[in-house]
Amino acid sequence: LVQSKEMADLLLQRIKDGQDFSELARSVSDCQFTKSKGGQIGWLSPKDDHLDEIMDSEAREICFNQFFKPGDVNTVETSRGIHLVKTEDVMTSLSTIQRRRDRLPGNGLEQRP
């Protein structure tokens, strides 16, 4: 979490140039909850209200709607500042995969409006 677009852009460039995300988070983050952990928040889901002090629902919603890919580092701007989000991995539940597969044409199931 940083407060200016200039700092976020600088950090993104430093990460692209090979600097370690965790080291940068420890040295410059404004987030009192994750700074000492190198920016790590663990698994994130849209319904994780216990993470509100770290990342508000607005930021979580953006993360899930943008479909970030593993390895991506993105900025998410909210009322708290600019979060730099590094996606380590993505977990999709089997029920979500099944629902998506059921919507594919030619699967033998009629789609309902």
Side-chain angles (χ1 to χ4, degrees):
L1 179 66
V2 295
Q3 298 306 312
S4 73
K5 179 156 177 34
E6 293 78 18
M7 178 60 85
D9 290 343
L10 174 68
L11 294 172
L12 279 176
Q13 187 58 53
R14 289 171 72 180
I15 292 165
K16 287 179 184 177
D17 290 344
Q19 275 201 279
D20 183 66
F21 181 93
S22 293
E23 288 177 17
L24 288 172
R26 280 186 190 95
S27 65
V28 300
S29 178
D30 293 335
C31 181
Q32 64 181 353
F33 299 101
T34 63
K35 183 174 184 160
S36 65
K37 298 183 230 173
Q40 295 291 320
I41 60 171
W43 286 103
L44 179 67
S45 82
K47 298 179 182 178
D48 280 337
D49 293 341
H50 72 281
L51 294 174
D52 281 347
E53 63 270 348
I54 299 169
M55 182 180 282
D56 58 25
S57 60
E58 175 187 8
R60 289 195 308 273
E61 188 71 27
I62 291 168
C63 289
F64 282 95
N65 287 331
Q66 297 297 322
F67 302 108
F68 296 160
K69 297 177 193 137
D72 282 356
V73 178
N74 297 282
T75 57
V76 177
E77 193 167 344
T78 69
S79 57
R80 293 183 183 179
I82 302 170
H83 299 266
L84 274 75
V85 178
K86 181 177 182 186
T87 305
E88 294 285 341
D89 201 358
V90 176
M91 183 183 345
T92 305
S93 70
L94 289 176
S95 61
T96 301
I97 294 169
Q98 181 64 42
R99 283 195 306 270
R100 289 178 182 164
R101 189 177 68 197
D102 288 349
R103 292 184 193 140
L104 293 174
N107 63 6
L109 300 173
E110 289 185 311
Q111 292 182 344
R112 298 179 189 229

